[in-house]
Coordinates of all heavy atoms in Angstrom, one line a residue:
M562 N -1.2 14.0 19.0 CA -2.2 14.4 19.9 C -1.7 15.6 20.7 O -2.5 16.5 20.9 CB -2.6 13.2 20.9 CG -3.3 12.0 20.2 SD -4.9 12.4 19.6 CE -5.8 12.3 21.1
R563 N -0.5 15.5 21.2 CA 0.0 16.7 22.0 C 0.1 17.9 21.1 O -0.3 19.0 21.6 CB 1.4 16.3 22.5 CG 1.9 17.4 23.4 CD 3.2 17.0 24.1 NE 2.8 15.9 24.9 CZ 3.7 15.2 25.7 NH1 5.0 15.5 25.6 NH2 3.3 14.2 26.4
L564 N 0.5 17.8 19.9 CA 0.6 19.0 19.0 C -0.8 19.6 18.8 O -1.0 20.8 18.9 CB 1.2 18.6 17.7 CG 1.3 19.8 16.7 CD1 2.2 20.9 17.2 CD2 1.8 19.2 15.3
L565 N -1.8 18.7 18.6 CA -3.2 19.2 18.4 C -3.6 19.9 19.7 O -4.3 20.9 19.6 CB -4.1 18.1 18.0 CG -3.8 17.5 16.6 CD1 -4.8 16.3 16.4 CD2 -4.0 18.5 15.5
H566 N -3.4 19.3 20.8 CA -3.8 19.8 22.1 C -3.1 21.2 22.3 O -3.8 22.2 22.7 CB -3.4 18.9 23.2 CG -3.7 19.5 24.6 ND1 -5.0 19.7 25.0 CD2 -2.8 19.9 25.6 CE1 -4.9 20.2 26.3 NE2 -3.6 20.3 26.6
D567 N -1.8 21.3 22.0 CA -1.1 22.6 22.1 C -1.7 23.7 21.3 O -1.7 24.8 21.6 CB 0.4 22.4 21.8 CG 1.1 21.6 22.8 OD1 0.6 21.3 23.9 OD2 2.3 21.1 22.5
R568 N -2.2 23.3 20.1 CA -2.8 24.3 19.2 C -4.3 24.4 19.4 O -5.0 25.0 18.6 CB -2.6 23.9 17.8 CG -1.1 24.0 17.5 CD -0.8 23.6 16.1 NE 0.7 23.6 15.9 CZ 1.3 24.1 14.8 NH1 0.6 24.4 13.8 NH2 2.6 24.1 14.8
Q569 N -4.8 23.8 20.5 CA -6.2 23.8 20.9 C -7.2 23.3 19.8 O -8.2 23.9 19.5 CB -6.6 25.2 21.3 CG -5.8 25.7 22.5 CD -6.2 27.1 23.0 OE1 -6.8 27.9 22.3 NE2 -5.7 27.4 24.2
L570 N -6.7 22.3 19.1 CA -7.5 21.6 18.1 C -8.0 20.3 18.6 O -7.3 19.6 19.3 CB -6.7 21.3 16.8 CG -6.2 22.6 16.1 CD1 -5.2 22.2 15.0 CD2 -7.3 23.4 15.5
V571 N -9.2 19.9 18.4 CA -9.8 18.7 18.9 C -9.9 17.7 17.7 O -10.7 18.0 16.7 CB -11.2 19.0 19.5 CG1 -11.9 17.6 19.9 CG2 -11.1 19.9 20.6
P572 N -9.2 16.6 17.8 CA -9.3 15.6 16.8 C -10.8 15.1 16.6 O -11.4 14.8 17.6 CB -8.4 14.4 17.2 CG -7.6 15.0 18.3 CD -8.3 16.1 18.9
G573 N -11.3 14.9 15.4 CA -12.6 14.5 15.2 C -13.6 15.6 15.1 O -14.7 15.5 14.6
R574 N -13.2 16.8 15.6 CA -14.0 18.0 15.4 C -13.4 19.0 14.5 O -14.0 19.4 13.5 CB -14.3 18.7 16.8 CG -15.2 19.8 16.7 CD -15.3 20.6 18.0 NE -14.0 21.4 18.1 CZ -13.6 22.0 19.2 NH1 -14.3 21.9 20.4 NH2 -12.5 22.7 19.3
D575 N -12.1 19.4 14.8 CA -11.4 20.4 14.0 C -10.6 19.8 12.9 O -10.4 20.4 11.9 CB -10.5 21.2 14.9 CG -11.3 21.9 16.1 OD1 -12.3 22.4 15.8 OD2 -10.8 21.9 17.2
V576 N -10.1 18.6 13.1 CA -9.2 17.9 12.2 C -9.5 16.4 12.3 O -10.0 16.0 13.4 CB -7.7 18.2 12.4 CG1 -7.4 19.6 12.1 CG2 -7.2 17.7 13.7
S577 N -9.1 15.7 11.3 CA -9.2 14.2 11.4 C -7.8 13.7 11.7 O -6.8 14.2 11.1 CB -9.7 13.6 10.1 OG -11.1 13.8 10.0
L578 N -7.6 12.7 12.5 CA -6.3 12.1 12.9 C -6.4 10.6 12.7 O -7.3 10.0 13.3 CB -6.0 12.5 14.3 CG -4.7 11.9 14.9 CD1 -3.5 12.4 14.2 CD2 -4.7 12.1 16.4
V579 N -5.5 10.1 11.9 CA -5.4 8.6 11.7 C -4.0 8.2 12.1 O -3.0 8.9 11.6 CB -5.7 8.2 10.3 CG1 -5.6 6.7 10.1 CG2 -7.1 8.7 9.9
S580 N -3.8 7.2 12.9 CA -2.5 6.7 13.3 C -2.2 5.4 12.8 O -3.1 4.6 12.5 CB -2.6 6.7 14.9 OG -1.3 6.1 15.3
F581 N -0.9 5.1 12.6 CA -0.5 3.8 12.2 C 0.1 3.2 13.5 O 1.3 3.4 13.8 CB 0.6 3.9 11.1 CG 1.1 2.6 10.6 CD1 0.2 1.8 9.8 CD2 2.4 2.2 10.8 CE1 0.7 0.6 9.3 CE2 2.8 1.0 10.3 CZ 2.0 0.2 9.5
C582 N -0.7 2.5 14.2 CA -0.3 1.9 15.5 C -1.2 0.7 15.8 O -2.3 0.5 15.2 CB -0.3 2.9 16.6 SG -2.0 3.5 17.0
M583 N -0.8 -0.1 16.8 CA -1.6 -1.2 17.2 C -3.0 -0.7 17.8 O -3.0 0.4 18.4 CB -0.9 -2.1 18.2 CG 0.4 -2.7 17.6 SD 1.2 -3.9 18.7 CE 1.4 -3.0 20.2
D584 N -4.0 -1.6 17.7 CA -5.3 -1.2 18.3 C -5.3 -0.9 19.8 O -5.9 0.1 20.2 CB -6.3 -2.3 18.0 CG -6.6 -2.5 16.6 OD1 -6.5 -1.6 15.8 OD2 -6.9 -3.7 16.2
E585 N -4.5 -1.6 20.5 CA -4.4 -1.4 22.0 C -3.9 0.0 22.3 O -4.4 0.7 23.2 CB -3.5 -2.4 22.6 CG -4.0 -3.9 22.5 CD -3.7 -4.5 21.2 OE1 -2.8 -4.0 20.4 OE2 -4.3 -5.6 20.9
I586 N -2.9 0.5 21.5 CA -2.4 1.8 21.7 C -3.4 2.9 21.3 O -3.6 3.8 22.0 CB -1.1 2.0 21.0 CG1 0.0 1.1 21.6 CG2 -0.6 3.5 21.0 CD1 1.3 1.0 20.8
A587 N -4.1 2.6 20.2 CA -5.1 3.6 19.7 C -6.2 3.8 20.7 O -6.7 4.9 20.9 CB -5.6 3.1 18.4
Q588 N -6.6 2.7 21.4 CA -7.7 2.7 22.4 C -7.2 3.3 23.7 O -8.1 3.6 24.6 CB -8.3 1.4 22.5 CG -9.0 0.9 21.3 CD -9.4 -0.6 21.4 OE1 -8.8 -1.4 22.1 NE2 -10.6 -0.9 20.8
S589 N -5.9 3.4 24.0 CA -5.4 3.8 25.3 C -5.6 5.4 25.5 O -5.4 5.8 26.6 CB -4.0 3.4 25.5 OG -3.1 4.2 24.6
Y590 N -5.8 6.1 24.5 CA -5.9 7.6 24.6 C -7.3 7.9 25.2 O -8.2 7.2 25.1 CB -5.7 8.3 23.3 CG -4.3 8.2 22.8 CD1 -3.9 7.2 21.9 CD2 -3.4 9.2 23.2 CE1 -2.6 7.2 21.4 CE2 -2.1 9.1 22.7 CZ -1.7 8.1 21.8 OH -0.4 8.1 21.4
A591 N -7.3 9.1 25.8 CA -8.6 9.6 26.4 C -9.7 9.7 25.2 O -10.8 9.4 25.4 CB -8.4 11.0 27.0
R592 N -9.2 10.1 24.0 CA -10.1 10.1 22.8 C -9.5 9.0 21.9 O -8.5 9.3 21.3 CB -10.1 11.5 22.1 CG -10.7 12.6 22.9 CD -10.7 13.9 22.2 NE -11.4 13.8 20.9 CZ -12.7 13.9 20.7 NH1 -13.5 14.0 21.7 NH2 -13.2 13.8 19.5
P593 N -10.1 7.8 21.9 CA -9.6 6.8 21.1 C -9.3 7.2 19.7 O -10.1 7.8 19.0 CB -10.6 5.7 21.2 CG -11.3 6.0 22.5 CD -11.3 7.5 22.6
V594 N -8.1 6.9 19.2 CA -7.6 7.3 17.9 C -8.0 6.3 16.8 O -7.9 5.1 16.9 CB -6.1 7.4 17.9 CG1 -5.5 7.8 16.6 CG2 -5.6 8.4 19.0
T595 N -8.5 6.9 15.7 CA -8.7 6.1 14.5 C -7.3 5.6 14.0 O -6.4 6.3 14.0 CB -9.3 7.0 13.4 OG1 -10.6 7.4 13.8 CG2 -9.5 6.2 12.1
N596 N -7.3 4.3 13.7 CA -6.0 3.7 13.3 C -6.0 2.7 12.3 O -7.0 2.1 12.0 CB -5.3 3.2 14.6 CG -5.9 1.9 15.0 OD1 -7.0 1.7 15.3 ND2 -5.0 0.8 15.1
V597 N -4.8 2.4 11.7 CA -4.5 1.3 10.9 C -3.5 0.5 11.6 O -2.4 1.0 12.0 CB -4.0 1.7 9.5 CG1 -3.7 0.5 8.7 CG2 -5.1 2.5 8.8
S598 N -3.7 -0.8 11.9 CA -2.8 -1.6 12.6 C -1.7 -2.2 11.7 O -1.9 -2.7 10.7 CB -3.5 -2.8 13.3 OG -2.6 -3.6 14.0
P599 N -0.4 -2.1 12.2 CA 0.7 -2.7 11.5 C 0.8 -4.2 11.6 O 1.6 -4.9 11.0 CB 2.0 -2.1 12.1 CG 1.5 -1.8 13.5 CD 0.1 -1.4 13.4
R600 N -0.1 -4.8 12.4 CA -0.2 -6.3 12.5 C 1.1 -6.9 13.0 O 1.7 -7.7 12.3 CB -0.7 -6.9 11.2 CG -2.1 -6.4 10.8 CD -2.6 -7.1 9.6 NE -2.7 -8.5 9.8 CZ -2.7 -9.4 8.9 NH1 -2.7 -9.1 7.6 NH2 -2.7 -10.7 9.1
P601 N 1.6 -6.5 14.2 CA 2.9 -7.1 14.6 C 3.0 -8.6 14.7 O 4.0 -9.2 14.5 CB 3.1 -6.4 16.0 CG 1.7 -5.9 16.4 CD 1.0 -5.7 15.2
R602 N 1.9 -9.2 15.1 CA 1.9 -10.7 15.2 C 2.1 -11.3 13.8 O 2.8 -12.3 13.7 CB 0.6 -11.2 15.9 CG 0.6 -10.9 17.3 CD -0.6 -11.6 18.0 NE -0.5 -11.4 19.4 CZ -1.6 -11.1 20.2 NH1 -2.8 -11.0 19.6 NH2 -1.4 -10.9 21.4
A603 N 1.4 -10.8 12.8 CA 1.5 -11.4 11.5 C 2.9 -11.1 10.9 O 3.5 -12.0 10.3 CB 0.5 -10.7 10.5
V604 N 3.5 -10.0 11.2 CA 4.9 -9.7 10.8 C 5.9 -10.6 11.5 O 6.8 -11.2 10.9 CB 5.3 -8.2 11.0 CG1 6.7 -8.0 10.8 CG2 4.4 -7.3 10.2
S605 N 5.7 -10.8 12.8 CA 6.6 -11.7 13.6 C 6.4 -13.2 13.1 O 7.4 -13.9 12.9 CB 6.2 -11.7 15.1 OG 6.5 -10.4 15.6
S606 N 5.2 -13.6 12.8 CA 5.0 -15.0 12.3 C 5.7 -15.2 11.0 O 6.3 -16.2 10.7 CB 3.5 -15.3 12.2 OG 2.9 -15.3 13.4
A607 N 5.5 -14.2 10.1 CA 6.2 -14.3 8.7 C 7.7 -14.4 8.9 O 8.4 -15.2 8.3 CB 5.8 -13.2 7.9
A608 N 8.3 -13.5 9.8 CA 9.7 -13.5 10.0 C 10.2 -14.9 10.6 O 11.2 -15.4 10.1 CB 10.1 -12.4 10.9
M609 N 9.5 -15.4 11.5 CA 9.8 -16.7 12.1 C 9.8 -17.8 11.1 O 10.6 -18.7 11.0 CB 9.0 -17.0 13.3 CG 9.2 -16.0 14.5 SD 10.9 -15.9 15.0 CE 11.2 -17.5 15.6
R610 N 8.7 -17.8 10.3 CA 8.6 -18.8 9.2 C 9.8 -18.8 8.3 O 10.4 -19.8 8.0 CB 7.3 -18.7 8.5 CG 7.0 -19.8 7.5 CD 5.6 -19.7 6.8 NE 5.0 -18.3 6.7 CZ 5.4 -17.4 5.8 NH1 6.4 -17.6 5.0 NH2 4.8 -16.2 5.8
L611 N 10.2 -17.6 7.9 CA 11.3 -17.4 7.0 C 12.6 -17.9 7.6 O 13.5 -18.5 7.0 CB 11.4 -16.0 6.5 CG 10.3 -15.5 5.6 CD1 10.4 -14.0 5.3 CD2 10.3 -16.3 4.2
L612 N 12.8 -17.5 8.9 CA 13.9 -17.9 9.7 C 14.0 -19.5 9.8 O 15.1 -20.0 9.5 CB 13.9 -17.3 11.1 CG 15.0 -17.8 12.0 CD1 16.4 -17.4 11.5 CD2 14.8 -17.3 13.4
F613 N 12.9 -20.1 10.1 CA 13.0 -21.6 10.2 C 13.2 -22.3 8.8 O 13.9 -23.3 8.8 CB 11.7 -22.1 10.9 CG 11.7 -21.8 12.3 CD1 10.6 -21.1 12.9 CD2 12.7 -22.3 13.2 CE1 10.6 -20.9 14.3 CE2 12.6 -22.0 14.5 CZ 11.6 -21.3 15.1
E614 N 12.7 -21.7 7.8 CA 13.0 -22.2 6.4 C 14.5 -22.2 6.2 O 15.1 -23.1 5.7 CB 12.3 -21.4 5.4 CG 10.8 -21.6 5.2 CD 10.2 -20.7 4.2 OE1 10.9 -20.0 3.4 OE2 8.9 -20.8 4.1
R615 N 15.1 -21.1 6.6 CA 16.6 -20.9 6.4 C 17.3 -21.9 7.3 O 18.3 -22.5 6.8 CB 17.1 -19.5 6.7 CG 16.6 -18.5 5.7 CD 17.8 -18.0 5.0 NE 17.4 -17.2 3.9 CZ 18.1 -16.2 3.5 NH1 19.2 -15.9 4.1 NH2 17.8 -15.6 2.4
L616 N 16.9 -22.1 8.5 CA 17.6 -23.0 9.4 C 17.5 -24.4 9.0 O 18.3 -25.3 9.2 CB 17.0 -22.8 10.9 CG 17.4 -21.5 11.6 CD1 16.6 -21.4 12.9 CD2 18.9 -21.4 11.8
E617 N 16.3 -24.8 8.3 CA 16.1 -26.1 7.8 C 16.8 -26.3 6.5 O 16.7 -27.4 5.9 CB 14.6 -26.4 7.7 CG 13.9 -26.5 9.0 CD 12.4 -26.5 8.9 OE1 11.9 -26.4 7.7 OE2 11.7 -26.6 9.9
G618 N 17.5 -25.3 6.0 CA 18.2 -25.5 4.7 C 17.5 -25.3 3.5 O 17.9 -25.7 2.4
V619 N 16.3 -24.8 3.6 CA 15.5 -24.5 2.4 C 16.2 -23.5 1.5 O 16.5 -22.4 2.0 CB 14.0 -24.0 2.7 CG1 13.3 -23.7 1.5 CG2 13.3 -25.1 3.5
D620 N 16.6 -23.8 0.4 CA 17.4 -22.9 -0.5 C 16.5 -22.2 -1.5 O 16.1 -22.8 -2.5 CB 18.5 -23.7 -1.2 CG 19.5 -22.9 -1.9 OD1 19.6 -21.7 -1.5 OD2 20.1 -23.3 -2.9
Q621 N 16.2 -21.0 -1.2 CA 15.4 -20.2 -2.0 C 16.1 -18.8 -2.3 O 16.8 -18.4 -1.5 CB 14.0 -19.9 -1.4 CG 13.1 -21.1 -1.2 CD 11.7 -20.7 -0.7 OE1 11.5 -19.6 -0.2 NE2 10.8 -21.6 -0.8
A622 N 15.7 -18.3 -3.4 CA 16.2 -16.9 -3.7 C 15.7 -15.9 -2.7 O 14.5 -16.1 -2.2 CB 15.8 -16.6 -5.2
P623 N 16.4 -14.9 -2.4 CA 15.9 -13.8 -1.6 C 14.5 -13.3 -2.1 O 14.4 -13.2 -3.3 CB 16.9 -12.8 -1.6 CG 18.2 -13.5 -2.0 CD 17.8 -14.6 -2.9
R624 N 13.6 -13.0 -1.2 CA 12.3 -12.5 -1.7 C 11.8 -11.5 -0.7 O 12.2 -11.4 0.4 CB 11.4 -13.7 -1.9 CG 11.0 -14.4 -0.6 CD 10.1 -15.6 -0.8 NE 9.6 -16.2 0.3 CZ 10.2 -17.1 1.1 NH1 11.4 -17.5 0.7 NH2 9.6 -17.6 2.1
L625 N 10.9 -10.7 -1.2 CA 10.2 -9.7 -0.4 C 8.8 -10.3 -0.1 O 8.1 -10.8 -1.0 CB 10.0 -8.4 -1.2 CG 9.2 -7.3 -0.5 CD1 9.9 -6.8 0.7 CD2 9.0 -6.2 -1.5
E626 N 8.5 -10.3 1.2 CA 7.2 -10.8 1.6 C 6.5 -9.7 2.4 O 7.0 -9.3 3.5 CB 7.4 -12.1 2.5 CG 6.1 -12.8 2.7 CD 6.3 -14.2 3.3 OE1 7.2 -14.9 2.8 OE2 5.6 -14.6 4.2
L627 N 5.4 -9.3 1.9 CA 4.7 -8.2 2.6 C 3.5 -8.7 3.4 O 2.9 -9.7 3.1 CB 4.1 -7.3 1.5 CG 5.1 -6.6 0.5 CD1 4.4 -5.8 -0.5 CD2 6.1 -5.8 1.3
V628 N 3.3 -8.0 4.5 CA 2.1 -8.3 5.3 C 1.2 -7.0 5.2 O 1.6 -5.9 5.7 CB 2.5 -8.6 6.8 CG1 1.3 -8.7 7.7 CG2 3.4 -9.8 6.9
A629 N 0.1 -7.2 4.7 CA -0.8 -6.0 4.5 C -1.4 -5.6 5.8 O -1.7 -6.4 6.7 CB -2.0 -6.4 3.6
P630 N -1.4 -4.3 6.0 CA -2.0 -3.8 7.3 C -3.5 -4.1 7.3 O -4.1 -4.3 6.3 CB -1.8 -2.3 7.2 CG -1.6 -1.9 5.8 CD -1.0 -3.2 5.2
E631 N -4.1 -4.2 8.5 CA -5.5 -4.4 8.6 C -6.2 -3.1 8.3 O -5.6 -2.0 8.2 CB -5.8 -4.8 10.1 CG -5.4 -6.1 10.4 CD -5.7 -6.5 11.9 OE1 -6.0 -5.7 12.7 OE2 -5.7 -7.7 12.1
G632 N -7.5 -3.2 8.0 CA -8.3 -2.1 7.6 C -8.3 -1.0 8.7 O -8.0 -1.1 9.8
L633 N -8.8 0.1 8.2 CA -9.0 1.3 9.1 C -10.1 1.0 10.1 O -11.1 0.5 9.8 CB -9.5 2.5 8.2 CG -9.8 3.7 8.9 CD1 -8.5 4.4 9.4 CD2 -10.5 4.7 8.0
V634 N -9.7 1.3 11.4 CA -10.7 1.2 12.5 C -11.1 2.6 12.9 O -10.3 3.4 13.4 CB -10.1 0.5 13.7 CG1 -11.1 0.4 14.8 CG2 -9.7 -0.9 13.3
R635 N -12.3 3.0 12.5 CA -12.7 4.4 12.8 C -13.1 4.6 14.2 O -13.9 3.8 14.8 CB -13.9 4.7 11.8 CG -14.3 6.2 11.9 CD -15.4 6.5 10.9 NE -15.0 6.3 9.5 CZ -14.3 7.1 8.8 NH1 -13.9 8.3 9.3 NH2 -14.0 6.9 7.6
R636 N -12.5 5.6 14.8 CA -12.9 6.0 16.2 C -13.2 7.5 16.2 O -13.4 8.0 15.2 CB -11.7 5.6 17.1 CG -11.5 4.1 17.2 CD -10.6 3.7 18.3 NE -10.5 2.3 18.4 CZ -9.5 1.5 17.8 NH1 -8.7 2.1 17.0 NH2 -9.5 0.2 17.9
V637 N -13.1 8.1 17.4 CA -13.6 9.5 17.5 C -12.7 10.5 17.0 O -13.0 11.7 17.0 CB -13.9 9.8 19.0 CG1 -15.0 8.9 19.5 CG2 -12.7 9.7 19.8
T638 N -11.5 10.2 16.4 CA -10.6 11.2 16.0 C -10.7 11.5 14.5 O -9.9 12.3 13.9 CB -9.1 10.9 16.3 OG1 -8.8 9.6 15.6 CG2 -8.9 10.7 17.8
T639 N -11.7 11.0 13.8 CA -11.9 11.3 12.4 C -13.4 11.8 12.3 O -14.3 11.4 13.0 CB -11.7 10.1 11.5 OG1 -12.4 9.0 12.0 CG2 -10.2 9.8 11.4
T640 N -13.5 12.6 11.3 CA -14.9 13.1 11.0 C -15.1 13.1 9.5 O -14.1 13.1 8.7 CB -15.1 14.5 11.6 OG1 -16.4 14.9 11.4 CG2 -14.1 15.5 10.9
L641 N -16.3 13.0 9.1 CA -16.6 13.1 7.7 C -17.0 14.6 7.4 O -17.9 15.1 8.0 CB -17.8 12.2 7.3 CG -17.5 10.7 7.6 CD1 -18.8 10.0 7.3 CD2 -16.4 10.2 6.7
F642 N -16.2 15.3 6.6 CA -16.5 16.7 6.3 C -17.5 16.8 5.1 O -17.6 16.1 4.2 CB -15.2 17.4 5.9 CG -14.3 17.6 7.1 CD1 -13.2 16.8 7.3 CD2 -14.6 18.6 8.0 CE1 -12.4 16.9 8.4 CE2 -13.7 18.7 9.1 CZ -12.6 17.9 9.3

């Protein structure tokens, strides 16, 4: 946002801006930012579940567990060209 401001570009008018951040942060700007949320609660829950499995002695092979980001939340910083 600062870089766009320094170049006198307005998000949603001159360029589209999409952020990878939590909804609360995206909404905190004067011009609410279009964003995709990394879902910190879902990531924390998955990590805690895996931790408790290990603490309880569940013997499993290492694995990769992904948490999909939530969908795009369109706000004023994107435009359809």
Side-chain angles (χ1 to χ4, degrees):
M562 294 289 282
R563 183 172 297 176
L564 178 62
L565 293 176
H566 176 67
D567 291 348
R568 293 180 183 217
Q569 298 178 347
L570 297 171
V571 177
R574 185 190 74 195
D575 303 317
V576 297
S577 289
L578 174 69
V579 178
S580 176
F581 184 68
C582 66
M583 294 186 313
D584 292 333
E585 295 83 13
I586 293 171
Q588 292 173 326
S589 70
Y590 289 96
R592 293 183 56 82
V594 178
T595 297
N596 76 303
V597 175
S598 176
R600 299 184 57 202
R602 287 189 177 135
V604 171
S605 297
S606 293
M609 294 305 295
R610 185 174 28 75
L611 293 171
L612 173 64
F613 287 122
E614 285 177 8
R615 291 248 169 151
L616 291 173
E617 291 171 357
V619 175
D620 191 23
Q621 292 184 348
R624 67 186 188 270
L625 175 65
E626 193 166 316
L627 301 175
V628 175
E631 289 181 342
L633 177 74
V634 177
R635 187 176 297 278
R636 296 195 175 88
V637 298
T638 60
T639 53
T640 185
L641 300 174
F642 289 102

